[in-house]
Amino acid sequence: MEQKVNLKDLTFDELEKFFLNIHQPKYRAKQVFQWLHRGVTDFDQLTNLSKELRHQLKEISYISTLSIAEKYQSKLDGTIKYLLRLNDGNLIESVIMKYKHGISICISTQVGCRMGCNFCASTIGGLVRHLTPGEMIDQVIFLQKDIQDRISNIVLMGIGEPLDNYDNVIKFLKNVNHPAGINIGYRHITLSTSGLVPGIIKLSKENMPITLSVSLHAPNDKIRNTIMPVNRSYNIDKVLEACKIYTEITKRRITFEYAMIAGVNDSAENAEELSTRIKGMLCHVNLIPINKIKEKEYSRSSDKKINTFKAILEKKGISTTVRRELGGDINASCGQLRRGHSEN
Ligand code: SAH
């Protein structure tokens, strides 16, 4: 028997074709799309469809759900961290962060990750599988329901490497941006990558004005090779070249993420070298005091080091911020909850 399709895995256009194929009018797509993204979990809730059609849909398709396995709310800043269970039992994480300008969600794009960054908990067990477009949008749909408030920004910075799951991520972006659904503007979406060059180039041609965030974390290949194995495939020169192409085509400013790791990449000399390499680019640097994960010996740079690093970059005319440490009391860094769970 053919496998049932998760209707949330289809883009709006694909959903239209789906209904034409079963001899239904095209406008069914819009009706069903609206229901799905409002979070219905059962075809019988689709009250503007006939009983026969609902029955037919049940035979050939299904509506994916997500259940909350664990939930932790920070007492410091209201950040909520979720461990979520997919239909096949796999676990992923999402985080809700509250800012003055609105509510952001950080979503996962894969179960596990194969990038191997050695300061990151998400990659320890390797890649289990890609998330489908529906499983990505379910994080937005069901957490919006859970918090009973509107999510206004999305960051693809949870478990996984989004550009390693390229086609599904693009479908997800199209659906979450669609006016008949959740309708979040591309400018309110940030995709973070460890630097997969072919994906960056491809993304630049999608005509989607999202913000690209690149996890650089080092000023030279020697250091980057030791913390990010992906650098052996795409070194800093190649990544920066791709970033220049991206900004030329999209006219969008890139964010460079730079995790501050004590004694590894946080010296004044490192800051000088970094500023020389990215000077003149349409970019912004975000310094991230690294979250301690218990499997690794790395620790966070001191505030003094971070401030000196920032001052050096700013003196060279590079706009720099230090990421606020949200959810410090709930292990909010990516992969830690799932990791903790698999150990128990
Ligand atoms: N794979 C993508 C997106 C997921 S990781 C990427 O690499 O960008 C999201 C961000 O969190 C990346 O910048 C990543 O390097 C960073 N990160 C991972 N582990 C961290 C830790 N322990 N402390 C601080 N940042 C971490």
Side-chain angles (χ1 to χ4, degrees), residues 32-155:
V32 170
F33 195 86
Q34 285 172 331
W35 282 115
L36 294 176
H37 295 103
R38 262 181 235 150
V40 299
T41 51
D42 188 325
F43 284 109
D44 288 326
Q45 292 170 285
L46 278 56
T47 46
N48 53 355
L49 304 186
S50 69
K51 242 186 163 154
E52 293 71 38
L53 179 55
R54 281 184 253 156
H55 181 75
Q56 188 183 4
L57 289 176
K58 279 182 220 172
E59 297 282 299
I60 56 176
S61 66
Y62 71 99
I63 303 173
S64 58
T65 56
L66 261 187
S67 58
I68 297 174
E70 290 170 25
K71 176 176 169 182
Y72 303 91
Q73 181 148 17
S74 168
K75 290 186 180 63
L76 306 172
D77 50 48
T79 298
I80 314 173
K81 177 105 204 194
Y82 294 87
L83 185 70
L84 301 169
R85 187 170 283 110
L86 303 168
N87 286 140
D88 69 354
N90 271 306
L91 296 168
I92 55 167
E93 292 174 27
S94 308
V95 187
I96 292 282
M97 294 160 290
K98 296 176 182 167
Y99 296 99
K100 277 194 216 90
H101 60 263
I103 296 176
S104 287
I105 184 171
C106 172
I107 67 157
S108 294
T109 56
Q110 296 178 313
V111 180
C113 182
R114 57 178 155 197
M115 293 301 115
C117 302
N118 72 354
F119 48 84
C120 179
S122 298
T123 201
I124 292 170
L127 177 70
V128 177
R129 67 171 177 86
H130 294 313
L131 290 188
T132 69
E135 289 171 328
M136 288 183 242
I137 211 160
D138 275 345
Q139 298 169 62
V140 185
I141 294 170
F142 290 109
L143 295 198
Q144 194 159 248
K145 261 187 152 178
D146 189 63
I147 62 171
Q148 297 189 355
D149 205 345
R150 186 177 180 272
I151 289 171
S152 52
N153 295 276
I154 302 178
V155 297

Side-chain angles (χ1 to χ4, degrees), residues 119-120 157-158 160-161 192-194 215 217 257 288 290-291 333:
F119 48 84
C120 179
M157 283 194 189
E161 166 52 50
S192 179
T193 178
S194 57
S215 299
H217 301 331
E257 305 284 334
I288 315 169
I290 200 162
N291 277 304
S333 173

Side-chain angles (χ1 to χ4, degrees), residues 264-299:
V264 173
N265 62 357
D266 63 346
S267 70
E269 197 191 343
N270 296 152
E272 296 283 353
E273 190 176 3
L274 177 67
S275 64
T276 309
R277 292 194 90 148
I278 62 174
K279 206 170 170 350
M281 290 181 69
L282 184 59
C283 72
H284 170 93
V285 173
N286 193 17
L287 301 175
I288 315 169
I290 200 162
N291 277 304
K292 182 105 192 96
I293 62 170
K294 73 169 189 300
E295 289 84 355
K296 308 286 175 181
E297 74 276 26
Y298 293 133
S299 55

